């Protein structure tokens, strides 16, 4: 069995999304890269199960209301 070498993935985020990402990583005792890897794995698992609901949803990301 051959194990494929991990390839880096570049993701460009808006500043507000980047900040939310860092906060979530810190709150869950993860590094940002570990949280990102888990999110990718979760998304890929959904697609492999045939669940495309996220792709068909609202194209704009959910954002918290200002002042919260």
């Amino acid at each position: 069995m051959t194990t494929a070498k991990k390839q880096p993935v570049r993701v460009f985020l808006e500043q507000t999304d980047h900040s939310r990402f860092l906060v979530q990583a810190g709150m869950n005792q993860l590094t940002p890269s570990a949280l990102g890897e888990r999110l990718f794995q979760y998304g890929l698992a959904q697609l492999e199960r045939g669940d495309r609901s996220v792709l068909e949803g609202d194209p704009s990301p959910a954002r918290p209301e200002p002042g919260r």
Side-chain angles (χ1 to χ4, degrees):
M1 180 175 156
T2 306
T3 306
K5 181 181 175 187
K6 287 187 177 182
Q7 296 293 324
V9 175
R10 281 192 175 212
V11 178
F12 297 95
L13 302 171
E14 293 180 17
Q15 182 59 44
T16 54
D17 294 328
H18 182 259
S19 297
R20 289 174 61 209
F21 190 75
L22 291 177
V23 167
Q24 285 300 317
M27 289 175 61
N28 291 289
Q29 287 99 31
L30 295 171
T31 63
S33 59
L35 179 60
E37 185 172 339
R38 290 184 186 184
L39 289 170
F40 276 116
Q41 289 172 349
Y42 175 76
L44 288 173
Q46 279 189 290
L47 291 173
E48 288 170 350
R49 286 193 309 268
D51 181 359
R52 291 183 169 78
S53 60
V54 176
L55 300 176
E56 298 162 357
D58 185 1
S60 61
R63 299 200 187 274
E65 292 179 21
R68 286 196 171 198

